[in-house]
Amino acid sequence: MRAPRRAEKRAPSVVLVNTGDGKGKSTAAFGTVLRAVARGWKVCVIQFIKSGKWKVGEQQSATALGVEWWTIGDGFTWDSKDMERSEAVAREGWKVSKEKIASGAYGLIVLDEITYPINWGWIPVAEVVEAIRNRPPTLNIIATGRDAPAALIEVADTVTEMRNRKHAFDRGVRAIRGIDF
Ligand code: ATP
Ligand code: MG
């Protein structure tokens, strides 16, 4: 039996993708945010879907830890009556995200739920991949959301697919404060 290969390379930064239809994509990203904060990195979370009005618990906790938190969505977009406006907001959000990625100011940027505006054709996946490829060498990136496009998976170093074995929601249990938001 061959001895397991030792991990010898020390990457200056990595790209993580949390995808799949089970619970845990965003919360795993926020768990990593906790680790990054402990190392003194500057961290920015950009949420592409959640409304700024609906302040999720993780936003309050992260902000208290000095994490920059930015919600660009104007609510759950699939409920929006004005899809054109939602698209414009998402594009504007991506523009700012690109600047933050290129800025060199951060050790970790979380692009939470970015797969949705990509899959709706609002943000070109090629642009996202290019921004990730050309990022400052020490910037780590985590992208989350269901149905991560192939190009995003390809540019990532670590891809995790959360599989839904069971979800309380399927039994009619609604989102729980402290667990789901
Ligand atoms: P979480 O934020 O809890 O880690 P997630 O990021 O994996 O979830 P999203 O698709 O972003 O999943 O889910 C947004 C909301 O829907 C969250 O409140 C989450 O708990 C809930 N949710 C996640 N997975 C499922 C599922 N399979 N069925 C129903 N609701 C779900
Ligand atoms: Mg999520």
Side-chain angles (χ1 to χ4, degrees):
M1 207 172 75
R2 275 174 55 203
R5 242 183 92 208
R6 257 203 334 197
E8 279 164 347
K9 286 190 276 186
R10 193 184 290 267
S13 70
V14 286
V15 176
L16 284 69
V17 170
N18 298 343
T19 190
D21 60 3
K23 177 173 168 62
K25 300 175 286 297
S26 297
T27 45
F30 303 147
T32 310
V33 165
L34 285 181
R35 292 180 171 165
V37 167
R39 305 307 166 198
W41 299 358
K42 200 171 168 201
V43 179
C44 180
V45 175
I46 300 158
Q47 286 198 300
F48 279 83
I49 296 292
K50 301 253 160 69
S51 164
K53 281 172 271 174
W54 182 35
K55 213 172 186 200
V56 292
E58 55 266 34
Q59 177 176 5
Q60 297 186 32
S61 300
T63 306
L65 292 173
V67 171
E68 214 179 289
W69 195 287
W70 202 51
T71 43
I72 65 151
D74 59 342
F76 287 99
T77 313
W78 41 90
D79 285 344
S80 174
K81 288 182 192 78
D82 189 349
M83 290 301 267
E84 260 170 54
R85 189 176 163 267
S86 298
E87 179 169 354
V89 169
R91 281 185 197 280
E92 192 54 36
W94 169 241
K95 220 178 102 188
V96 179
S97 304
K98 264 196 298 196
E99 288 163 13
K100 288 186 184 294
I101 289 170
S103 72
Y106 301 96
L108 173 64
I109 293 182
V110 177
L111 304 171
D112 191 40
E113 322 291 2
I114 194 173
T115 61
Y116 304 98
I118 292 174
N119 288 334
W120 296 329
W122 294 355
I123 301 173
V125 67
E127 262 189 43
V128 176
V129 167
E130 194 196 322
I132 290 175
R133 279 227 169 88
N134 299 329
R135 73 190 185 279
T138 57
L139 168 62
N140 299 276
I141 293 184
I142 307 178
T144 84
R146 294 174 193 215
D147 303 310
L152 188 60
I153 287 174
E154 206 198 310
V155 77
D157 300 287
T158 299
V159 179
T160 303
E161 183 147 350
M162 310 295 176
R163 185 151 64 95
N164 185 19
R165 296 283 297 263
K166 256 187 174 185
H167 198 292
F169 182 82
D170 301 333
R171 293 197 286 119
V173 177
R174 57 178 214 183
I176 303 163
R177 278 168 77 92
I179 298 290
D180 293 307
F181 64 97

